[in-house]
Amino acid sequence: MTRELPQLGLGIGWRPELALAIDRRPDLGFVELMAEDFTASAIPPAVDRLRQKGLRLIPHGVSLSLGSAQPPEPRRLEALARLAERVAAPLVSEHLAFVRAGGIETGHLLPLPRTRETLDLMVSHVRQAQAALPVPLALENIATLIDWPDDDMNEADFLAELLERTDALLLLDVENVYANARNRGIDPLDFIDRLDLSRIAYIHVAGGVAKGALYHDTHTFPVSQPVLDLLEEVCARAPIPGMMLERDDCFPGAAELNAELDALAGAIERGVRRRKGSHVSR
Amino acid sequence: MSAAEQASLAARQEELVRALSGQGPAPAGFDPSCLAATAESLLRKRARTVARVWPALVEALAGDFDSQFADYATCQPMPTEGGPLADGYAFGRHLAHRGELPDAARQERMAVELRYRFTRDGLIRRRWPMLKVQILRKPWRLVLAIHSQSWERWFQIGC
């Protein structure tokens, strides 16, 4: 299936602590904005300047809670829609997760049980969100240590069918794929190969940490080699419109940040070369 | 999904969320070690996001921030409005009720109170101009601040 997806290139999650380094890096094509940190009426000048320089801005929500039993709240959808319009976003993204229940906010992305019934519910919530948003919606796979006792579909098949039925785009988080596969003792490529990679709008990459037997997706460490290798594998399989780094704390200086972005660009380039090489040899 | 199935999902999601935020027992059928690890990372993430927007409070509590925040977080869920700013504000109230709010953190709170009012749901942005006066110790001084939509002024008398 062919889709007209915006070519985003290399990107990064915008954080005030990284604003200067982001402003000075010449090869960025886009930045992602944590949607809840911004209101359409008060965009910081540093962010507007990036847009004037030609970078694309992509609002990334964490509070729609599309995986809740209740439908997404209209006021949250309206705020996201207004922000997307204000920054002329080519698309917005959210997670396949729930973040609140019974009036309790967790501030954390939690998985919903993967059954046929919850899949139908998710399809309906995603369609409601799509109807309220002025631009396409990309859905992200989350990192989780929790599995529900009544799960009867695997994560990749659940996600693939959700995307197929809603025609939503995919925000593939390679670090989350790695973290879940490692914690469940499965092959991350098995997850990748069950998805329609032509739906990828862009990719998230980040660094986590192993504590005891478990790997935690913390976004506070440099990206590890296995995650860069997985990024290369994805880029070797399909053309990917955009890839970006997420860093949420323990912010590095400009030199370390640039080295991180260079490592990402290197893995992407290796993947693209392999893909093009395999096309030629056929 | 039928209405009954939806209500059952809502109840089960609430049970899980309560367990993860220290407000209820672990629901049946889940791996307890994975629940405990998730509860811990949820708490750590909550503390980290609060620390980012309340730097003076973290500095004033010095090494006690993590343990004090854990005490607060296990008895109070995150406010529904205002994100980490509201969570940190509620944490400060929790400390103030116990007489443990460090004086060095008060000016930072005052700056937030100028722009927001605290409700049961969290922080709501003020629409009208606001004036606050506060006496701060170490060093002793009287601080007065005025905030309106487009400007803000601070005045200080004392040492």
Side-chain angles (χ1 to χ4, degrees), chain A residues 17 67-69 75 98 101-102 104-107 110 113 121 145-150 211 214 218 248-249, chain B residues 1 5-6 9-10 12-14 16-18 20 29-30 34 37-38 42 44-45 48 52 77-81:
Chain A
E17 293 86 344
S68 277
R75 68 181 177 103
F98 77 101
I104 299 177
E105 290 288 322
T106 66
L110 296 166
L121 185 75
L145 302 172
I146 294 175
D147 286 308
W148 287 74
D150 47 338
K211 279 191 184 154
L214 294 173
T218 58
D248 286 337
D249 210 343
Chain B
M1 188 179 245
E5 283 171 332
Q6 214 163 324
L9 176 65
R12 296 179 64 213
Q13 287 185 330
E14 181 175 344
L16 178 62
V17 162
R18 282 196 185 283
L20 292 176
F30 288 87
C34 289
T38 302
L42 210 131
R44 249 200 330 267
K45 186 172 169 187
R48 208 176 63 219
R52 265 183 78 195
M78 194 183 283
T80 51
E81 298 295 329

